Amino acid sequence: MSLFQNKSFYNSLFRTLLYTIMTVPISMILSLGFALLLDKGLRLALSLYRSLFFAPIVTSTVAISVVWMFIYHPDYGMANAAMKWLGLEPLRWLNDTKTALISLAIMAIWKHIGFCVVIYLAGLQGIPTDVEEAAKMDGAGPLRIMLSIKLPLLTPTIFFLLIYLTIEQLQTFTQIDVMTKGGPAGSTELVVMHLWNYAFERFQMGYASAIAMVLLGIILLLTWVQMRLVGRKVHYQ
């Protein structure tokens, strides 16, 4: 079967791009907010908070996926318990084609925030304090300092996280394999899951290899575009 004549491949590619768009910007924005709060008021406890935020990264994805399966359980999961407490109708989360991919995206955002916070904190700690002090002496407020000093000096960090998270999300597989197997009705079958199904379920290795090469080309193309559009605006210290 020709790869470019298979509608299921295009559907999995679309879902992968949608999943990436849902997770990468939110992960970067939320983690930047947390990092700014930690850097501002909790410098003495940074080692503790780095450990807490980094815990999801060093924990097995399989273990995290199992925990989130219980959280999303339609009958006794914490997610629906919170929905009921808020007076909202419970959802089927992983068992509904409308919410399954969003549920996986929420988990991915939670999992990657810790890594991003730690990287952002490293970037913030590298900003010279005399620059901020000079800005304060000139009458700059916290918002002006953040927009005119911190964010420009953080552009190498932001650029790194943008490329890293994009590549990471395009290769998502483990949590889908554990939590949904690509279901329900193929609503969470991303490109790597599609590749795995053809390689190890149908044993069509040539077709699976073609998918892998296309995915590699997409990753290289997106990385090149990001470097061209965003990389030129990076301010290196």
Side-chain angles (χ1 to χ4, degrees), residues 47-69:
S47 59
L48 172 62
Y49 281 94
R50 282 195 184 103
S51 301
L52 293 176
F53 274 109
F54 205 71
I57 298 298
V58 298
T59 305
S60 167
T61 303
V62 174
I64 292 175
S65 300
V66 172
V67 171
W68 277 85
M69 287 177 66

Side-chain angles (χ1 to χ4, degrees), residues 87-105:
L88 302 174
E89 290 292 325
L91 300 174
R92 296 177 62 212
W93 299 106
L94 298 174
N95 300 320
D96 192 333
T97 56
K98 296 180 180 178
T99 58
L101 191 63
I102 297 174
S103 303
L104 291 172

Side-chain angles (χ1 to χ4, degrees), residues 200-225:
F200 301 106
E201 293 286 342
R202 306 186 185 187
F203 297 101
Q204 297 183 18
M205 296 299 177
Y207 181 87
S209 299
I211 297 174
M213 294 304 298
V214 171
L215 180 59
L216 174 62
I218 292 173
I219 291 174
L220 291 175
L221 177 62
L222 290 178
T223 303
W224 179 81
V225 170

Side-chain angles (χ1 to χ4, degrees), residues 19 22-23 27 72 100-110 169:
Y19 176 80
M22 284 194 295
T23 55
S27 298
Y72 284 138
L101 191 63
I102 297 174
S103 303
L104 291 172
I106 293 172
M107 172 193 160
I109 292 168
W110 170 83
Q169 299 306 80

Side-chain angles (χ1 to χ4, degrees), residues 3-90:
L3 175 64
F4 297 107
Q5 295 176 351
N6 189 350
K7 185 178 179 180
S8 63
F9 167 72
Y10 290 107
N11 290 335
S12 67
L13 181 59
F14 172 76
R15 284 189 291 268
T16 303
L17 295 176
L18 179 62
Y19 176 80
T20 303
I21 292 171
M22 284 194 295
T23 55
V24 173
I26 297 176
S27 298
M28 294 183 65
I29 293 171
L30 289 179
S31 56
L32 177 60
F34 284 125
L36 288 170
L37 290 175
L38 291 175
D39 182 65
K40 180 178 180 180
L42 298 170
R43 285 178 178 266
L44 296 178
L46 278 183
S47 59
L48 172 62
Y49 281 94
R50 282 195 184 103
S51 301
L52 293 176
F53 274 109
F54 205 71
I57 298 298
V58 298
T59 305
S60 167
T61 303
V62 174
I64 292 175
S65 300
V66 172
V67 171
W68 277 85
M69 287 177 66
F70 282 103
I71 292 175
Y72 284 138
H73 195 281
D75 296 325
Y76 51 82
M78 292 175 59
N80 274 344
M83 297 285 285
K84 292 178 181 178
W85 184 77
L86 293 172
L88 302 174
E89 290 292 325

